[in-house]
Amino acid sequence: MTTNTNRRNFILHGLIASTAAFTPPLRAQEVDNKLPKKSVSEPTSRRRIRQTHDLKLVTEFVSAAHRDIDKVKEMVAEDNKLVFASVDTGNVGMGDWETALNGAAHTGRRNIALFLLSQGARIDAFCAAMLGYRSVILELLNAAPATATIKGPHGLTLLYHTAIGGDVAIAQALKPLLPPNAPDFNQALSAAARGGHLKMTEWLLANGVSNVDAPDGFKKTPLKIALEKGFSDVATVESAGSVQDGR
């Protein structure tokens, strides 16, 4: 009995060994076919990207928000989703994105900004500073002090937007958060002149302006801006500042 069992085991093991010896190895392709396939993400084809707005239309809308409230209202009436749109203006290289609200904010167009907000535009720190929303800015600076040095469209600073709005208290809150001799003060002086804000002009001259005649993006000095806009009191102060500055 024991002899027969051993013989059967010997034969069985021999069959297994011989089968393994004569079974050809799987080719690489066959192994690959047996493995689970991994999904490979491919870049989205441009044909599948749905363009929601014509670039020229968005550019026209953002441009209008710098100066023309009637045009803005007309375009919003036709398509209110334009309040969310932005365009890369390219004025400071690639990535200078600007919305209509951004345009209204840095030009001091309070009426346009308020209209856009009423239509659902998303407020940001720059717009809030221009509108003089002091509590909003103070809370934001307390929560995130680095906000003071973040630049908006065209490289315009938070102090610039504050200056064109004319709220000296916000400017005072920004000052300790800015680097010594920051160019923000020179840039903001043009904004104060553009807005005709005498108190802001005086504060800037006393609190950080190092170049009274620093030109803006249009190559205009604060004094020239004030004179062109008929803000004689601001022009007088800036003229005096130029004399004291040795220019």
Side-chain angles (χ1 to χ4, degrees):
M1 184 73 174
T2 303
T3 302
N4 291 335
T5 301
N6 290 338
R7 182 177 294 172
R8 282 198 301 270
N9 289 339
F10 176 79
I11 294 172
L12 178 62
H13 291 154
L15 287 172
I16 294 173
S18 63
T19 301
F22 288 100
T23 301
L26 290 174
R27 295 189 296 273
Q29 183 178 1
E30 293 174 331
V31 173
D32 182 66
N33 290 337
K34 291 179 179 295
L35 293 176
K37 295 293 184 180
K38 294 183 179 180
S39 60
V40 179
S41 59
E42 298 180 355
T44 304
S45 170
R46 285 188 174 273
R47 295 178 181 178
R48 294 176 57 193
I49 299 176
R50 184 169 63 92
Q51 186 172 340
T52 58
H53 286 90
D54 180 78
L55 183 58
K56 290 183 179 180
L57 180 67
V58 176
T59 301
E60 181 184 357
F61 183 65
V62 172
S63 177
H66 287 66
R67 61 187 67 83
D68 191 343
I69 190 169
D70 292 332
K71 181 68 173 179
V72 168
K73 288 182 175 180
E74 176 187 330
M75 295 184 75
V76 169
E78 294 177 0
D79 184 357
N80 67 342
K81 293 297 189 295
L82 283 170
V83 301
F84 305 122
S86 61
V87 63
D88 186 351
T89 63
N91 291 337
V92 192
M94 295 302 292
D96 188 21
W97 291 91
E98 182 180 22
T99 65
L101 188 62
N102 294 149
H106 75 72
T107 53
R109 305 290 182 176
R110 185 182 182 88
N111 59 339
I112 297 179
L114 290 174
F115 171 74
L116 291 169
L117 290 173
S118 74
Q119 299 301 304
R122 304 177 180 111
I123 193 169
D124 59 17
F126 304 108
C127 179
M130 184 277 288
L131 291 174
Y133 290 172
R134 190 181 304 169
S135 61
V136 173
I137 297 300
L138 295 184
E139 287 293 335
L140 184 56
L141 292 176
N142 182 56
T147 303
T149 57
I150 293 175
K151 292 180 173 58
H154 320 321
L156 299 174
T157 64
L158 189 58
L159 185 59
Y160 179 96
H161 290 80
T162 300
I164 206 165
D167 194 313
V168 174
I170 296 179
Q172 290 172 333
L174 285 170
K175 182 181 178 181
L177 300 175
L178 297 175
N181 303 315
D184 304 45
F185 294 94
N186 296 337
Q187 187 190 75
L189 190 61
S190 292
R194 186 165 282 107
H197 301 300
L198 179 60
K199 294 295 183 182
M200 178 63 75
T201 299
E202 293 173 335
W203 184 88
L204 288 168
L205 288 170
N207 287 274
V209 170
S210 59
N211 182 2
V212 179
D213 294 326
D216 68 356
F218 299 100
K219 309 300 182 184
K220 295 182 179 181
T221 66
L223 178 58
K224 184 174 183 178
I225 294 171
L227 290 172
E228 287 181 351
K229 290 186 169 293
F231 300 132
S232 57
D233 53 349
V234 173
T236 299
V237 171
E238 288 175 346
S239 180
S242 293
V243 173
Q244 293 175 7
D245 202 25
R247 291 177 173 79

